[in-house]
Amino acid sequence: MLARRLSALCIRSVSGKQLVYAEYGDPTKVVKLQTIDLNDTPPSGQVHVKWIASPINPADLNTLQGVYPIKPPLPAVGGSEGFGRVEKLGDGVKTLKVGDHVLPSRSGLGIWRTDGYHKETDLFQIDKTLPLEASASLQVNPPTAYRMLKDFVDLKEGDTIIQNGANSSVGKAAIQICRIRGIRSINIVRKRDNMAAFISSLKALGANEVITEDQLVKEYRGKIKDVRLALNCVGGRSALLLATTLGHGGCMVTYGGMSKQPLQVPTGPLIFKDIRLVGFWMSRWYEDQKNLEERKRMNADLTSWIKSGEFRPPTFEKRNLEHYKEALEAAATSFVKKQLFIL
Amino acid sequence: MLARRLSALCIRSVSGKQLVYAEYGDPTKVVKLQTIDLNDTPPSGQVHVKWIASPINPADLNTLQGVYPIKPPLPAVGGSEGFGRVEKLGDGVKTLKVGDHVLPSRSGLGIWRTDGYHKETDLFQIDKTLPLEASASLQVNPPTAYRMLKDFVDLKEGDTIIQNGANSSVGKAAIQICRIRGIRSINIVRKRDNMAAFISSLKALGANEVITEDQLVKEYRGKIKDVRLALNCVGGRSALLLATTLGHGGCMVTYGGMSKQPLQVPTGPLIFKDIRLVGFWMSRWYEDQKNLEERKRMNADLTSWIKSGEFRPPTFEKRNLEHYKEALEAAATSFVKKQLFIL
């Protein structure tokens, strides 16, 4: 008995921190910083991951607000994207080894924490020589752009796509993947100060055209047609304008609704030009186990493009967990400076 | 030489009438009744069809107005649906014989005429024991309903579909095909006088629910869900309401836009419930030669349902060609009394 008690006392524990929430609501109010102690040894089939960096994505905020379709059982750890390093293996773990870099294999794992024990099937191994920002953002935005450009229309070199919200993380990833694949991209953006510099920055990524909605309606009226794919994250009238540029058999993929307005779609092209409208949700794609091999291929493509310098990952404002309130506040008010927790 | 001339003079000719238009515009103004003479013998590979009956569909009026995507070379004979009887065969005709009843095999053939010579591949043989109204309407509306209920979602017995414009010819065909196939139909209609009698008439065809948009928004709010297929011929807000009833993986098929408003589609369900929106155009389906065998199957189904009394073809107001102005006028102003030329 005494031996057992001593042994129990002698088990070292891992001490860490995490951002948890026990109710849905205003992210800056419901999220709390918590100290945690984990047993030194992960349970069988699980690994100890030291999480390294995790961004704050809009979907994370919506999850905290309780308005996202993913609702983890509460209390839960916030965050769903990020990468970490495998520290220790539980019994029976076969696919990972200490030192490996990993992403979550699915959404909703809770990544805003320094340490976690996770099933090996909940993790996806990545190249450990990738830069920090690239690793931390390899799960959500570039894959969303990659899949939308691959899964709905068989795009060939020289084909044209159009997108709104072109300055979003997905938008900038789409611009670059189009450039790499030889696809022309027409990018619809909002009017802003320093328009010339802003246009230059997107053209530097590979954008063929960067225009405002207003220009699309006036100067470019009727000139943009036979577009094969439209990527829509705005909705409302903006979606209508994209749809009118689609050629026969074209497709509009919706992955966001920033305007909070229902999409508008012209009836004629839908019927007579055989266009179709679909939605895309990266989280659902990851849930489907039959996509695992294709995810490895996608990851290999993105990794090689990042390493060759062809694909630039997003830039971030880095924060540590202690400054989570400022980080959440900044993430909620600005799409421009993306927030990244360094864990 | 003399013998030849005499022979030419002795060729009997077929005299008939047709409704032609040489310019696009107001149907009652651009359409003219014309007498025609055809050689007694159809050219090689063609057959002489005595057309028997042909409806005036909305698409026919739009074609005359020049606002439809099908633009036959002018001058052209109006009308695109109807049936006739094979009178005489040209050389080399193999698939048809005298006395066969035929439909056009594609749109735009020009059916508002008593007589025509047509390539055998432009004709599609039907059962000659079908009633006149059924034969005359076997190409457009019931097939549109049939295909939309078959080609987009794998509907099983007990599944639910929703449609607006349920009192249209396609709508009433869809109600009946659903009843025959054991599919529940929820039918959205406009408020009108004699609502109870109107509801009864659609329920007599097999409608499970007949409700107004207003009822869908109020009494039925949130109660209709997990609908697998929505058929939309209205657009605007009505499409939005249909879309909100779709369950995971559901599909909305648009085949008309009576409100002349762009469709509205909620963003959330598109992304998170994986719903999709497509258009359907019967004419395009017929253009695709690989659909010929499937057309034969569809035609066999519809024919057997009509003959067994399970499927009621539309009722028509019958007109002869001489009264074409009144018929065109009536077709343009009322969707209720469909017009049928008796040729």
Side-chain angles (χ1 to χ4, degrees), chain A residues 40-283:
Chain A
D40 186 43
T41 303
S44 173
Q46 298 196 11
V47 305
H48 173 195
V49 177
K50 266 211 169 300
W51 292 103
I52 297 170
S54 172
I56 304 177
N57 285 315
D60 297 323
L61 300 178
N62 292 338
T63 304
L64 294 170
Q65 290 156 347
V67 298
Y68 202 64
I70 292 182
K71 294 194 168 49
L74 300 184
V77 177
S80 63
E81 184 183 34
F83 84 105
R85 181 181 179 278
V86 173
E87 282 295 300
K88 201 166 185 177
L89 307 179
D91 286 344
V93 170
K94 287 186 190 120
T95 57
L96 294 170
K97 55 186 191 305
V98 172
D100 283 348
H101 282 195
V102 289
L103 307 178
S105 68
R106 58 178 181 83
S107 296
L109 216 56
I111 309 300
W112 296 342
R113 55 173 124 194
T114 57
D115 297 83
Y117 288 169
H118 303 279
K119 287 192 271 183
E120 63 178 322
T121 51
D122 281 344
L123 301 167
F124 180 87
Q125 194 186 338
I126 59 166
D127 185 303
K128 60 182 168 184
T129 66
L130 286 174
L132 180 128
E133 287 87 348
S135 301
S137 58
L138 203 49
Q139 182 193 351
V140 177
N141 295 321
T144 299
Y146 183 101
R147 296 252 65 87
M148 292 194 298
L149 291 166
K150 187 165 183 183
D151 293 350
F152 299 97
V153 172
D154 183 23
L155 292 172
K156 308 233 183 306
E157 235 182 286
D159 281 345
T160 301
I161 71 124
I162 194 166
Q163 65 171 342
N164 56 26
N167 192 40
S168 68
S169 297
V170 171
K172 286 191 274 197
I175 289 170
Q176 297 183 80
I177 296 171
C178 281
R179 189 199 72 235
I180 292 165
R181 290 184 51 195
I183 296 161
R184 278 174 49 79
S185 68
I186 298 170
N187 300 278
I188 313 300
V189 296
R190 276 176 295 193
K191 210 163 190 170
R192 61 194 77 204
D193 299 336
N194 295 320
M195 199 66 187
F198 172 64
I199 291 173
S200 295
S201 73
L202 294 186
K203 290 204 167 174
L205 292 177
N208 296 84
E209 301 274 358
V210 182
I211 58 177
T212 62
E213 266 183 31
D214 207 44
Q215 287 179 289
L216 181 59
V217 174
K218 290 173 189 164
E219 292 159 58
Y220 287 79
R221 189 183 186 85
K223 289 182 189 159
I224 300 176
K225 47 192 176 184
D226 296 325
V227 168
R228 300 209 55 214
L229 178 71
L231 308 181
N232 165 48
C233 67
V234 177
R237 181 169 166 271
S238 178
L240 184 77
L241 294 176
L242 293 196
T244 55
T245 69
L246 286 172
H248 196 274
C251 179
M252 180 154 76
V253 186
T254 292
Y255 66 99
M258 294 197 311
S259 73
K260 300 197 192 296
Q261 297 297 314
L263 272 74
Q264 289 179 35
V265 195
T267 298
L270 202 61
I271 302 175
F272 301 122
K273 288 165 82 180
D274 201 16
I275 71 168
R276 71 203 148 96
L277 269 76
V278 299
F280 182 72
W281 190 22
M282 200 65 235
S283 297

Side-chain angles (χ1 to χ4, degrees), chain B residues 160-167 171 175 178 183-189 195 198-212 215-216 219-220 223-224 227:
Chain B
T160 301
I161 71 122
I162 195 166
Q163 65 171 342
N164 56 26
N167 192 40
I175 289 171
C178 281
I183 297 161
R184 278 173 47 79
S185 69
I186 298 171
N187 300 278
I188 313 301
V189 295
M195 198 68 187
F198 173 63
I199 291 173
S200 295
S201 73
L202 294 186
K203 288 202 169 175
L205 292 177
N208 296 84
E209 302 273 359
V210 181
I211 59 178
T212 62
Q215 287 179 290
L216 180 60
E219 293 159 56
Y220 286 79
K223 287 181 190 160
I224 300 176
V227 169

Side-chain angles (χ1 to χ4, degrees), chain A residues 301-332:
Chain A
D301 279 345
L302 291 169
T303 299
S304 78
W305 294 338
I306 292 165
K307 291 174 85 166
S308 68
E310 290 174 283
F311 187 92
R312 283 186 234 163
T315 54
F316 290 99
E317 182 163 23
K318 294 174 189 171
R319 306 271 192 170
N320 61 36
L321 276 186
E322 282 72 18
H323 296 122
Y324 69 93
K325 274 189 202 290
E326 295 91 322
L328 291 168
E329 187 72 39

